[in-house]
């Protein structure tokens, strides 16, 4: 049973006219007539009683009308749903965020970009992962763009373009009662025998100067994980654990102190995208991020050739 046959029957029943039905459906009257004839033949019954002046439903037509109308409406709804899904997909941006390095700017910027009048019909899907996974997804074109914190810019594949939003150091967060809490700054040697705690998972070696220093010096440390950030901070307060985060990452709590961490490595907080995937909307987001980073008075460190070709 073809939907166009059902649709012609429903519109004829609603208008009481083959001519008006044809006009509403943008068809010719003979086509509408053929649709009805094919439907009646398939059902084995007359649905309409037609005279030279009137078109009326038969008893069978009245019985069948609600079912036919429901089928037509269901197909229309399905078509609308598919159209909206296609529009959503066309306007979807998949943006990665580096865990523990998302707090300073990414969520606020993405919301501001999303709320802008020119972007209200678009959608942003946020993917939270470690920088290695985000860069791999960008290179494979599985992501449109990503915010990542990196201690080594050469980790960005040469096929990708990037813009450095800010360059920052790390800080070590600890309880005020911690033996190291009065230090002006800390080095990797100060972290020996310390217990680190992280919500969910810790930063990768690529994104944390402290973790990278510890690995290069082969200094073992204890690491604990909690389900929630509040639980991790509670362990810092009560059990003497510590946590390393970027200087720009806000940490609240009167019982906590933040000590700068000295390292030869720094965190380059970057916005990265694949130039071959740079649709108009991605380019719009790139321009938005550049503008926001200039407002932060961040150094405009860019990879020239790739930025020019993006």
């Amino acid at each position: 049973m073809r939907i166009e046959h059902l649709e012609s029957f429903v519109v004829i029943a609603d208008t009481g006219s083959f001519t008006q039905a044809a006009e509403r459906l943008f068809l010719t009257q003979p086509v509408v007539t053929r649709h009805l004839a094919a439907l009646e033949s398939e059902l084995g019954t007359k649905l309409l009683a037609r005279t030279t002046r009137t078109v009326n439903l038969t008893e069978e037509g009245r019985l069948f009308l609600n079912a036919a109308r429901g089928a037509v409406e269901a197909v229309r709804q399905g078509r609308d749903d598919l159209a909206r899904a296609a529009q959503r997909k066309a306007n979807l941006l998949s943006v990665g965020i580096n865990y523990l390095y998302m707090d300073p700017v990414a969520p606020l910027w993405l919301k501001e970009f999303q709320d802008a009048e020119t972007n209200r019909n678009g959608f942003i899907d946020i993917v939270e992962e470690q920088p290695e996974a985000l860069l791999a997804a960008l290179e494979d074109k599985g992501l449109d763009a990503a915010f990542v914190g990196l201690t080594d810019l050469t980790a960005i594949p040469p096929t990708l373009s990037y813009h450095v939003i800010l360059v920052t150091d790390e800080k070590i967060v600890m309880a005020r009662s911690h033996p190291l809490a009065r230090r002006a700054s800390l080095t990797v040697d100060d972290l020996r025998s310390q217990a680190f705690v992280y919500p969910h998972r810790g930063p990768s070696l690529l994104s944390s100067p402290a973790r990278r220093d510890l690995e290069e010096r082969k200094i073992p440390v204890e690491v604990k994980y909690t389900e929630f950030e509040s639980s991790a901070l509670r362990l810092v307060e009560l059990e003497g654990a510590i946590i390393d985060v970027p200087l720009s990452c806000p940490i609240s709590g009167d019982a906590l102190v933040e000590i700068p961490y000295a390292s030869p490595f720094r965190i380059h907080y970057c916005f990265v995208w694949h130039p071959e995937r740079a649709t108009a909307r991605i380019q719009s987001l790139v321009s938005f991020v550049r503008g926001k980073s200039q407002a932060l008075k961040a150094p405009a460190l860019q990879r020239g050739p790739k930025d020019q070709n993006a």
Side-chain angles (χ1 to χ4, degrees):
M1 191 171 294
R2 299 175 61 175
I3 192 64
E4 60 265 32
H5 296 171
L6 294 172
E7 193 170 26
S8 290
F9 166 61
V10 169
V11 177
I12 294 170
D14 288 345
T15 61
S17 167
F18 279 75
T19 301
Q20 291 182 38
E23 291 175 355
R24 184 177 295 184
L25 294 170
F26 300 100
L27 299 172
T28 64
Q29 184 174 331
V31 170
V32 172
T33 301
R34 287 198 298 273
H35 284 177
L36 178 65
L39 181 61
E40 291 179 328
S41 176
E42 184 174 358
L43 293 172
T45 187
K46 284 289 185 181
L47 300 175
L48 296 172
R50 182 181 182 186
T51 68
T52 56
R53 293 185 178 182
T54 63
V55 176
N56 297 305
L57 287 166
T58 65
E59 182 178 351
E60 292 79 5
R62 285 192 293 273
L63 290 173
F64 186 67
L65 180 59
N66 285 340
R69 193 186 305 280
V72 170
E73 289 301 321
V75 170
R76 286 176 179 170
Q77 183 62 53
R79 287 171 177 167
D80 290 344
D81 290 344
L82 288 174
R84 283 192 293 271
Q87 183 67 27
R88 181 184 178 93
K89 185 175 181 180
N91 291 333
L92 177 67
L93 282 181
S94 182
V95 180
I97 290 179
N98 188 176
Y99 177 69
L100 284 182
Y101 296 87
M102 60 179 284
D103 289 343
V105 297
L108 294 177
W109 286 7
L110 290 176
K111 184 179 187 306
E112 185 177 341
F113 179 78
Q114 179 73 57
D115 291 344
E117 184 174 349
T118 55
N119 295 297
R120 286 178 183 168
N121 293 326
F123 305 91
I124 297 177
D125 179 33
I126 295 178
V127 178
E128 186 181 308
E129 255 300 349
Q130 297 284 22
E132 296 88 341
L134 294 178
L135 293 175
L138 282 169
E139 195 171 23
D140 294 339
K141 302 180 183 179
L143 274 181
D144 293 312
F147 292 86
V148 293
L150 303 170
T151 58
D152 183 1
L153 288 177
T154 64
I156 300 177
T159 55
L160 303 180
S161 296
Y162 68 87
H163 174 79
V164 176
I165 297 169
L166 59 87
V167 181
T168 184
D169 296 308
E170 256 186 332
K171 61 187 175 185
I172 308 297
V173 180
M174 63 188 66
R176 291 189 179 276
S177 58
H178 195 283
L180 299 176
R182 295 182 179 274
R183 299 287 295 274
S185 65
L186 300 172
T187 67
V188 64
D189 290 319
D190 297 316
L191 303 182
R192 293 178 183 273
S193 304
Q194 297 297 320
F196 286 76
V197 60
Y198 301 105
H200 303 294
R201 59 178 180 263
S204 72
L205 300 180
L206 183 57
S207 59
S208 167
R211 301 297 298 172
R212 186 171 176 181
D213 287 341
L214 289 166
E215 176 67 20
E216 291 194 358
R217 293 281 298 275
K218 306 299 181 184
I219 299 175
V221 293
E222 179 185 355
V223 179
K224 300 177 181 180
Y225 300 97
T226 65
E227 186 173 357
F228 303 106
E229 180 178 321
S230 58
S231 301
L233 294 178
R234 192 64 174 163
L235 288 180
V236 171
E237 290 181 20
L238 299 180
E239 298 188 12
I242 63 174
I243 184 171
D244 57 302
V245 295
L247 278 175
S248 52
C249 183
I251 296 290
S252 61
D254 293 336
L256 302 176
V257 295
E258 303 171 359
I259 311 297
Y261 176 72
S263 170
F265 303 110
R266 305 192 75 196
I267 302 166
H268 295 77
Y269 189 65
C270 304
F271 182 72
V272 189
W273 69 98
H274 200 305
E276 294 181 6
R277 197 177 170 87
T279 62
R281 193 152 188 259
I282 294 175
Q283 289 285 19
S284 177
L285 181 55
V286 171
S287 298
F288 176 85
V289 169
R290 285 182 178 141
K292 296 297 289 186
S293 65
Q294 288 175 1
L296 288 177
K297 298 181 179 179
L301 302 176
Q302 303 171 22
R303 180 173 292 170
K306 293 184 177 57
D307 249 341
Q308 292 170 10
N309 294 330

